[in-house]
Amino acid sequence: MATVHLRIGDLVWGKLGRYPPWPGKVVSPPKDLKKPRGKKCHFVKFFGTEDHAWIKVEQLKPYHAHKEEMIKINKGKRFQQAVDAVEDFLKKSKGKDQNSEGKGESKGKKTPNKPLKILDEDDEDLSALRDPSEKPVKDDPHFHHFLLSQSEKPAPSMEPISKRLKVIEEDRASTSIQAADSTAINGSITPTDKRIGFLGLGLMGSGIVSNLLKMGHVVTVWNRTAEKCDLFIQEGARLGRTPAEVASMCDITFSCVSDPKAARDLVLGPSGVLQGIRPGKCYVEMSTVDPETITELSQVITSRGGRFLEAPVAGSQQLSNDGMLVILAAGDRTVYEDCSSCFQAMGKTSFFLGDAGNAARMMLILNMVHGSFMATIAEGLTLAQATGQSQQTLLDILCQGQMASTFVDQKCQNILQGNFKPDYYLKHIQKDLRLAISMGDMANHPTPMAAAANEVYKRAKALDQSDNDMSAVYRAYIH
């Protein structure tokens, strides 16, 4: 993606968190408000509100070039009012220098000295963009990267600024091949009236269920370790005693477990999903497994009159918590459409890839690249150390070059801090590498890079790193 060079006064579409792109203008920040460290971003004023935010450059798009696209995918009265405000601004500023902040917004009038509102995930000032029923996110380390310095007390006109100035960390937006039918209006989701079941409350499943509940879905949960259900029961979920009971009680049952064996056992085992499947019941397999497992599960579900969809997710625990996963779906297209509001609650975009098995293939390819890249980053950091180079300087250089990304920054920082709390289990990325290599063998296609990375992860597992984050592959190079 080519770098977009923006200047003060440029009109843009800015995306904040899970909320839809919103029209705004790049403006100068207040003198007392520091720019977030280590991130290339611009200070943006959003039209239709008095809201402002630091937005990373990859979450900004030029207004005119993407106007038609954004108007097609975003609806709602407030959104239309914001677009109308942009058009009114353009009419008033015609013939004036749009690159100077403060000019062209009104004829012969000074901009009112209104309090500046900084968009913040905890702040009620996000009401123009968010679902009014959504609970604020508190104490989320994902949002705590950029804080207003305690020594810089806000001026009186800055009092509406919330407790923390936060910059949303998220992957570069993707364009879906076939996005789920949109029922979202300015960040609000109309939940399906179908009863939803969810099996598996691990790193990914927990965040997914939390977002389904937050967006108003009726959810019944089950987990092999029953205690994990307690928190979600407190949040309004119902409890299923067995996978079979959940499948029989619900219209659509999702599962998200660790590997092919667990996925098969959940369906085919004692009190498994298959015992609760009746004609018309939907089963959605979200686990990252091999295409052969998907084919088997699809066949047994449909043999009972059920409808089957695979929908593995690309992302991490943090992205799951934030409702920013990428969903890859394949199988029964009508199930995909029925899952529209669920996919919107849990992800930022979804892709429909055709026949069952295609999503599994694509997910294994993605995770093969993901895992190989992480191993290479770890190798580079350890080589820097072995040759007397500063690892921090290497990271600083990486984050200023073409490889700059949230992933590189976060994983490297975690390595340098010795923080390997799991965001994506090392044992799971090694499993995905193994399955991708096997898939390559079946297609008679070489996967030498993945094979090499797989050996490094296997060594890390032998060093008891299985339940740490995938970045703990670093320890395979230093032991």
Side-chain angles (χ1 to χ4, degrees):
M1 180 177 174
T3 302
V4 177
H5 297 285
L6 298 170
R7 297 174 295 178
I8 299 297
D10 285 352
L11 300 180
V12 294
W13 296 97
K15 186 160 181 10
L16 184 65
R18 77 181 60 149
Y19 305 105
W22 203 264
K25 185 174 69 165
V26 178
V27 300
S28 297
K31 292 181 180 180
D32 295 334
L33 192 61
K34 287 188 176 181
K35 187 174 183 178
R37 295 169 53 190
K39 304 293 176 184
K40 296 190 71 173
C41 53
H42 292 285
F43 198 62
V44 174
K45 173 185 177 182
F46 290 99
F47 284 88
T49 71
E50 288 298 319
D51 297 326
H52 296 67
W54 287 108
I55 306 292
K56 294 195 296 181
V57 291
E58 58 262 39
Q59 301 302 332
L60 293 170
K61 293 183 177 181
Y63 177 82
H64 295 288
H66 295 273
K67 176 183 173 183
E68 188 175 54
E69 167 196 346
M70 297 302 178
I71 290 178
K72 281 183 180 179
I73 64 175
N74 295 316
K75 304 295 180 183
K77 184 177 179 181
R78 285 175 173 169
F79 176 82
Q80 188 56 53
Q81 289 174 342
V83 173
D84 291 342
V86 181
E87 298 305 311
D88 184 57
F89 166 76
L90 288 171
K91 289 178 184 177
K92 291 180 179 180
S93 61
K94 187 176 181 180
K96 296 185 178 182
D97 183 7
Q98 296 184 36
N99 293 323
S100 297
E101 166 58 11
K103 293 184 180 181
E105 293 196 64
S106 60
K107 293 183 179 181
K109 295 181 181 180
K110 292 185 178 180
T111 304
N113 186 22
K114 295 181 179 180
L116 183 65
K117 299 177 183 178
I118 308 295
L119 285 183
D120 181 299
E121 285 289 313
D122 286 345
D123 200 340
E124 293 179 359
D125 294 333
L126 267 176
S127 58
L129 300 176
R130 73 157 47 153
D131 180 356
S133 67
E134 181 175 342
K135 298 176 183 178
V137 179
K138 294 183 178 180
D139 299 325
D140 186 345
H142 187 57
F143 296 120
H144 294 176
H145 295 288
F146 308 117
L147 308 180
L148 282 175
S149 171
Q150 288 293 100
S151 63
E152 294 178 4
K153 300 297 182 182
S157 63
M158 301 285 283
E159 287 179 357
I161 295 177
S162 186
K163 297 178 292 298
R164 303 177 182 90
L165 175 62
K166 299 172 181 174
V167 175
I168 306 303
E169 300 282 351
E170 61 180 308
D171 286 349
R172 192 165 300 190
S174 300
T175 303
S176 60
I177 295 172
Q178 182 62 55
D181 294 337
S182 178
T183 55
I185 302 177
N186 297 341
S188 177
I189 293 172
T190 302
T192 179
D193 58 2
K194 297 184 183 297
R195 293 164 298 180
I196 304 301
F198 204 95
L199 312 174
L201 300 173
L203 289 184
M204 306 297 281
S206 293
I208 290 172
V209 170
S210 180
N211 282 305
L212 287 172
L213 291 169
K214 184 163 34 177
M215 294 303 174
H217 295 84
V218 177
V219 185
T220 300
V221 297
W222 175 90
N223 191 70
R224 185 174 56 182
T225 306
E227 290 77 12
K228 285 190 176 181
C229 297
D230 294 345
L231 176 63
F232 302 99
I233 303 304
Q234 294 173 18
E235 292 181 5
R238 301 171 183 179
L239 179 64
R241 291 175 296 180
T242 65
E245 183 178 83
V246 174
S248 64
M249 291 170 55
C250 299
D251 302 302
I252 304 173
T253 300
F254 294 86
S255 74
C256 188
V257 292
S258 58
D259 56 35
K261 182 181 183 303
R264 287 192 183 95
D265 290 347
L266 201 59
V267 174
L268 304 172
S271 301
V273 168
L274 195 59
Q275 295 181 25
I277 292 295
R278 303 287 183 272
K281 295 282 187 181
C282 301
Y283 188 65
V284 183
E285 182 57 79
M286 303 192 78
S287 313
T288 300
V289 298
D290 54 282
E292 292 73 31
T293 297
I294 291 297
T295 299
E296 179 183 358
L297 297 181
S298 176
Q299 289 174 348
V300 297
I301 294 295
T302 55
S303 71
R304 295 289 182 91
R307 297 188 290 150
F308 181 84
L309 184 77
E310 60 166 331
V313 293
S316 61
Q317 181 187 31
Q318 190 60 67
L319 293 176
S320 175
N321 292 342
D322 297 341
M324 296 299 292
L325 296 168
V326 175
I327 299 121
L328 308 185
D332 190 325
R333 178 59 182 266
T334 63
V335 181
Y336 176 68
E337 293 168 351
D338 287 344
C339 293
S340 174
S341 70
C342 297
F343 288 159
Q344 290 174 54
M346 65 181 75
K348 64 178 177 179
T349 193
S350 63
F351 293 75
F352 185 78
L353 303 179
D355 296 335
N358 284 340
R361 294 181 184 95
M362 185 66 80
M363 183 58 63
L364 289 178
I365 294 167
L366 286 172
N367 283 355
M368 178 188 76
V369 173
H370 196 189
S372 299
F373 183 45
M374 183 69 252
T376 300
I377 292 172
E379 190 170 296
L381 285 170
T382 52
L383 181 60
Q385 185 177 45
T387 56
Q389 304 304 303
S390 165
Q391 292 178 320
Q392 182 62 56
T393 300
L394 172 61
L395 173 56
D396 293 342
I397 295 169
L398 285 173
C399 289
Q400 293 299 319
Q402 292 179 315
M403 293 175 62
S405 68
T406 301
F407 175 78
V408 170
D409 187 16
Q410 289 181 338
K411 294 303 182 188
C412 288
Q413 291 286 8
N414 288 346
I415 288 172
L416 297 185
Q417 295 166 12
N419 173 20
F420 298 106
K421 180 181 178 181
D423 195 39
Y424 194 97
Y425 284 121
L426 184 142
K427 62 185 177 183
H428 288 170
I429 201 70
Q430 190 273 321
K431 174 262 298 181
D432 295 342
L433 281 165
R434 174 174 53 81
L435 294 176
I437 293 166
S438 177
M439 186 171 70
D441 289 343
M442 295 181 68
N444 196 29
H445 183 81
T447 54
M449 305 305 291
N454 187 45
E455 293 303 315
V456 183
Y457 283 97
K458 285 164 62 177
R459 172 163 173 73
K461 286 178 65 176
L463 293 169
D464 201 27
Q465 301 301 310
S466 291
D467 292 324
N468 281 333
D469 186 68
M470 63 184 295
S471 56
V473 69
Y474 174 84
R475 288 179 168 167
Y477 289 97
I478 60 176
H479 288 87

